[in-house]
Amino acid sequence: MEGDTIMPRIIEITDFEAPELDVYARLTEGQLLNRHEPEKGIFIAESPKVIERALDAGCVPLSFLVERRHIETQAAQILKRCEGIPVYTAEFDVLTRLTGFKLTRGMLCAMRRPKLPRPEEVLKNAKRVAVLENIVNPTNVGAVFRSAAALFMDAVLLTPDCSNPLYRRAIRVSMGTVFQVPWTFLEGDFAWPRPGIERLRGLGFSTAAMALREDSVSINDPKLLAEEKLAVVLGTEGDGLAPDTIADCDYTVRIPMSHGVDSLNVAAASAVAFWQLGRIRPAP
């Protein structure tokens, strides 16, 4: 009826072992991912801002875990959008014991994992994309996504051995930008590095491997900046990009540094690279 207040479905937590709380308390990231039945996969979004971005992207909520004092304050607008979805609640210390960590702004949401698009869909209107090769630290993956969203990248592509961007920590570090920047994994006819690099080339992309090599060009090289479509390729935290990847890319690119520093953490390097290579685009 018009004017009625939409009420969330509040459920007080009385039993830590209740099966409906497994997603928050007992299932691992691997179990949530559910590789054998990906259509049943779940992810956990943390904090109102991140949950709101996930909802805006069309992600489907399954349940909420909310600190009691936030139900009528910072969680209220989100819960109004999700009428009928179970909202499990308790005081902060109870939720901390249940989950094993302190909730960011007192709110978690279990959501259904969306079906990933094909690389062709992600690249359709893109001019500047990031390619992540075997980056296994979810904190770094989340940080790269946040930089990609802020610093002019149109999409992110990941090799299968990368940490999944929908792991809870990656989502949180990204501040929910994993729901704003189009992304997918490179598989099938986009298998990395071959035939993936050739498929990118066929779609008009030049590839720029971020690596320290004698033949590296500077990140401000005019020819590099003039590329109409560019894929910026970043490697794993320890070893960097695989030699085959570097050999197959069109450019090997370095970031000029001082004080004898030879490299940056991949998250820091991504921010520098995206700022320089993403914001400068040739005129159509």
Side-chain angles (χ1 to χ4, degrees):
M1 183 181 299
E2 186 176 355
D4 284 356
T5 301
I6 298 176
M7 298 297 294
R9 184 181 161 198
I10 307 298
I11 303 169
E12 186 75 23
I13 294 173
T14 58
D15 178 11
F16 273 23
E17 300 304 316
E20 56 269 24
L21 298 178
D22 285 350
V23 292
Y24 301 110
R26 286 171 285 279
L27 297 187
T28 66
E29 290 282 13
Q31 290 171 318
L32 291 173
L33 181 60
N34 199 350
R35 293 182 185 275
H36 297 296
E37 296 181 276
E39 69 280 0
K40 296 180 181 179
I42 295 170
F43 68 88
I44 303 296
E46 182 180 358
S47 86
K49 180 185 287 291
V50 169
I51 294 168
E52 186 173 31
R53 286 179 171 171
L55 291 172
D56 290 345
C59 296
V60 178
L62 300 174
S63 67
F64 292 93
L65 188 69
V66 183
E67 185 182 348
R68 184 181 291 112
R69 68 189 178 96
H70 291 318
I71 288 176
E72 295 183 358
T73 55
Q74 61 187 25
Q77 291 302 312
I78 291 174
L79 297 181
K80 284 181 181 180
R81 296 178 60 176
C82 304
E83 183 181 10
I85 302 298
V87 180
Y88 300 101
T89 189
E91 298 296 342
F92 179 80
D93 60 338
V94 174
L95 297 184
T96 300
R97 293 203 310 273
L98 174 68
T99 62
F101 60 89
K102 295 181 179 180
L103 274 63
T104 301
R105 300 193 178 274
M107 190 176 194
L108 298 177
C109 181
M111 292 182 154
R112 185 70 65 199
R113 284 180 181 262
K115 183 178 179 180
L116 290 180
R118 300 190 309 275
E120 297 94 327
E121 298 173 60
V122 169
L123 294 168
K124 185 176 181 181
N125 297 310
K127 299 292 186 182
R128 293 290 187 268
V129 302
V131 179
L132 310 188
E133 181 183 271
N134 303 340
I135 299 179
V136 298
N137 186 316
T139 297
N140 282 336
V141 169
V144 171
F145 264 88
R146 189 170 183 180
S147 292
L151 302 173
F152 315 106
M153 290 292 109
D154 300 316
V156 177
L157 300 170
L158 305 97
T159 63
D161 287 336
C162 282
S163 179
N164 194 290
L166 293 185
Y167 283 170
R168 183 184 67 85
R169 185 165 181 79
I171 295 172
R172 181 167 66 83
V173 172
S174 83
M175 289 299 294
T177 54
V178 293
F179 306 114
Q180 296 177 312
V181 179
W183 64 272
T184 198
F185 284 100
L186 291 164
E187 298 177 305
D189 60 351
F190 272 87
W192 193 260
R194 293 181 182 175
I197 290 177
E198 287 301 323
R199 293 286 281 121
L200 284 171
R201 196 169 284 133
L203 293 171
F205 284 90
S206 295
T207 48
M210 302 300 299
L212 297 171
R213 293 267 295 249
E214 290 296 325
D215 58 348
S216 296
V217 300
S218 176
I219 199 170
N220 58 4
D221 182 272
K223 184 179 177 182
L224 178 66
L225 298 178
E227 292 287 356
E228 181 182 359
K229 290 184 174 182
L230 189 65
V232 182
V233 188
L234 296 146
T236 185
E237 296 86 348
D239 299 328
L241 292 170
D244 288 350
T245 299
I246 298 172
D248 287 348
C249 284
D250 300 300
Y251 298 91
T252 306
V253 181
R254 69 179 185 279
I255 298 171
M257 300 183 198
S258 63
H259 292 91
V261 177
D262 61 355
S263 65
L264 296 172
N265 167 274
V266 66
S270 74
V272 176
F274 298 164
W275 165 251
Q276 181 67 18
L277 300 176
R279 66 190 176 93
I280 300 176
R281 305 185 184 206

